[in-house]
Amino acid sequence: MAELKVSEEMKPWEQHSAVISIPRYDYKAPSSFLLRSFSGFLVTCPIKREKSATKEAMTILDKYLGAIDTCDSEAEKDPQNIATKRRKVVLSETEKCVNDVENKTLDENNGAKEVPEGSCLSTPKSDANTGTPHPLSLVKLTRSGLLLFTFSNDRCPNVVNIVSNIMQSLESGSLKAPLWCHRILPIQTTCVLHEKELGTLVPKLVADFMNNEGKELARPVKFAVGYNRRGIEETESKGKNGNSSPVVLLDRNKCFEVVAAAVKGIVSDSVVDLKCPELTVLIEALPVSGIPIGSPIVAVSVLPQKLIMTKPRLCIKALVPDVKSKK
C-alpha cells in the first residue's frame, strides 16, 4: 500500500524515470557526420517500439562495453577506467512504476518494465555513479524501426567483436533472447555515399580484416557486397533554385563496382561468392535527421562469415533466428 501511495503521488514522467532512462538524441550529429567518421551500432526493431528497443539495446550493449578499446592513453593503461564508464540502469522495488504493473511485462534481460511508447522519459547524459558521459550517443533518424548509436571521439571500439560476443552469448543461452531488438549491425566507420569516400575507407577495413581474421582463409578468398539504400534516391540533389548539384549519388551497380575493386585491390586472389562469402562488405544507408540533400551518410563494415546470412538476402544475422529477413 505504501508503494502504491508513493506512485500515485508521483507525476507520470517521474514514475517512468524511476523505471528506465534512455539517452537523449545527439542533435549535433548531422553536422558531425559530414566532418568525420563514426563507429557504433545500427539496431532494427518493430515500428512504434523504438523506446522499448532503445532501453533493451542499451542494456545489452552495456554488458559488452567493458572491454572496448579507447583512443585515450589513460584508459589504455588501466582497463578498469573503461569499465567504470559503463552506464547503469539501477532499479529497486520501491522505484518501480506501479501503474504499469497490470499491463506491462517484465523485461527478461534485466527485470525492468516495458515503457509505454508515448511516455515522457528522464534521459540523463552521464553515468549516475561516475558523472562521466556514456560512450554511446543516440542519433535521431528519419525512419521508424531503426536506432543508431555512435561512439564519442575518444572511443575506438572493436564493434565487430562486441556483436560477435553478443551472438555467442545468445547461442549459448547465457544471454536471453531480446524482445524488441531484431538485429544489431556493427558500424566500423561512416562516410558520405560518394565513390571517392568508399574507395578510401573500404581498402583500409579490408586490409585490417585480412591482417587479423583473414590470415587463416584459403585462397581464393570468397567475398560479397551488400548495399541497403533504405529509400535514398539515386538522383542528383536539387539546390534552392532548382539547379542540379554537381555531386551525383552512387547507384547500386556503381557501389558494387567501387567496393569490389577496393577488395580486389587489397586481396588480388579473391572471387565474388554470394552463397558462402568469407568476407562481406556491408554498405548501409543511415537516414540521419538533418543531413543536407545530396550528402547521404552510409555505414561501412567488413564482416566475417559467422555474422552474415545470405538467404533470402545478404545481411547481418538476426539476434533471434525466426525474425523475418525484411526487418
Side-chain angles (χ1 to χ4, degrees), residues 63-64 109 165-166 168-176:
K63 294 179 181 179
Y64 296 86
N109 287 330
N165 291 338
I166 291 173
Q168 291 174 4
S169 297
L170 288 169
E171 292 172 0
S172 67
S174 59
L175 178 66
K176 293 185 178 180

Side-chain angles (χ1 to χ4, degrees), residues 287-315:
V288 179
S289 177
I291 292 294
I293 296 175
S295 301
I297 303 299
V298 293
V300 185
S301 297
V302 176
L303 305 177
Q305 186 176 27
K306 62 184 178 181
L307 294 182
I308 293 296
M309 60 181 294
T310 58
K311 293 182 179 181
R313 66 183 180 88
L314 188 67
C315 63

Side-chain angles (χ1 to χ4, degrees), residues 20 34 66 75 95 111 117 130 136 139 169 215 217 286 311 319:
I20 186 63
L34 299 176
E95 291 177 325
E117 295 307 316
T130 66
L136 286 174
V139 180
S169 297
K215 288 182 178 180
L217 297 181
L286 301 177
K311 293 182 179 181
L319 300 177

